[in-house]
Amino acid sequence: MQKLNYSSLNGQHIVDTRSQHSFQAGHIVGSLNLILANFKKYAINYFPTNEPMVFVTDDNSSEYLDNLRISAKELGFKELSGYILFEEIPNSELRQSDTISAKDFLDLEGDYTLLDVRNPSEITRIAPKNNLKSISFEDLPTSHQSLNNNKKIYTLCGSGNRGTAAASYLEKLGFQPIIIQGGMKAIQDEDKYKATGK
């Protein structure tokens, strides 16, 4: 896969394949955060297969790049422009994600939206009921219109990967999403701590 310079970006879809924490610390505005496993599972829901795509990665090993290329081809993506190495992107072009700890989220009051992007079939830990709206991550591109852009939206998944990915998509659409760090696992741990003190 061809290596590109940041300056060569020209309207391509940008897929940032780094970890949720790396993405949160700094990313190109308008990029969608999909780690390799999530790219294989969800990319087809988010991108037309006939439009150009660029990957952002911090791993330029031939094995990793081959995995990305093969996965994209298997999904039917025809226009792979190449990849950009994250460390070569100017800091001035990066934006940090807004995040909140599970503890601080559970202390929130007032009006907001808690967006649970887990698929109903996988839910074993029940999300907090207050202001809850459930839209599975794969359905977000076709269902985001039901969200209120005037409210703060806190994104939630199982451990934070899809919550970060959902926030990256909503940010691209002009929403102001906030990622709940650690997802439902962190909320459950915080609830347990509040109940037992340990």
Side-chain angles (χ1 to χ4, degrees), residues 56-102:
V56 172
T57 179
D58 52 11
D59 182 352
N60 63 346
S61 67
S62 57
E63 180 182 1
Y64 185 76
L65 296 174
D66 281 346
N67 280 335
L68 281 178
R69 181 183 55 77
I70 291 166
S71 296
K73 292 293 186 186
E74 286 176 347
L75 290 170
F77 291 105
K78 301 174 178 66
E79 300 286 333
L80 296 183
S81 299
Y83 73 95
I84 296 172
L85 202 54
F86 177 77
E87 65 188 32
E88 296 179 359
I89 300 171
N91 283 337
S92 60
E93 302 299 323
L94 300 177
R95 183 193 187 283
Q96 287 186 328
S97 301
D98 292 326
T99 62
I100 188 170
S101 69

Side-chain angles (χ1 to χ4, degrees), residues 94-159:
L94 300 177
R95 183 193 187 283
Q96 287 186 328
S97 301
D98 292 326
T99 62
I100 188 170
S101 69
K103 179 183 186 307
D104 288 344
F105 172 76
L106 290 170
D107 290 339
L108 283 179
E109 296 179 358
D111 197 18
Y112 57 84
T113 298
L114 170 59
L115 177 62
D116 187 346
V117 297
R118 295 175 296 169
N119 189 292
S121 66
E122 72 179 90
I123 293 175
T124 56
R125 298 183 285 245
I126 305 301
K129 296 268 189 283
N130 198 28
N131 302 316
L132 176 64
K133 186 170 186 65
S134 293
I135 303 176
S136 60
F137 182 62
E138 54 266 41
D139 293 334
L140 195 56
T142 55
S143 302
H144 65 80
Q145 297 89 345
S146 64
L147 296 169
N148 186 341
N149 202 2
N150 296 317
K151 290 184 182 180
K152 286 186 175 179
I153 298 174
Y154 295 88
T155 59
L156 176 72
C157 65
S159 62

Side-chain angles (χ1 to χ4, degrees), residues 25-66:
H27 59 269
I28 299 172
V29 174
S31 59
L32 184 69
N33 179 223
L34 290 177
I35 60 172
L36 181 56
N38 284 349
F39 178 83
K40 292 176 182 177
K41 191 168 184 180
Y42 301 113
I44 204 72
N45 300 91
Y46 281 85
F47 304 107
T49 55
N50 61 345
E51 294 181 8
M53 176 182 289
V54 171
F55 293 108
V56 172
T57 179
D58 52 11
D59 182 352
N60 63 346
S61 67
S62 57
E63 180 182 1
Y64 185 76
L65 296 174
D66 281 346

Side-chain angles (χ1 to χ4, degrees), residues 12-15 23 27-32 47 95 168-169 171-173:
Q12 302 100 323
H13 296 290
I14 305 170
V15 184
F23 182 87
H27 59 269
I28 299 172
V29 174
S31 59
L32 184 69
F47 304 107
R95 183 193 187 283
S168 70
Y169 179 69
E171 178 188 290
K172 185 176 179 180
L173 297 177

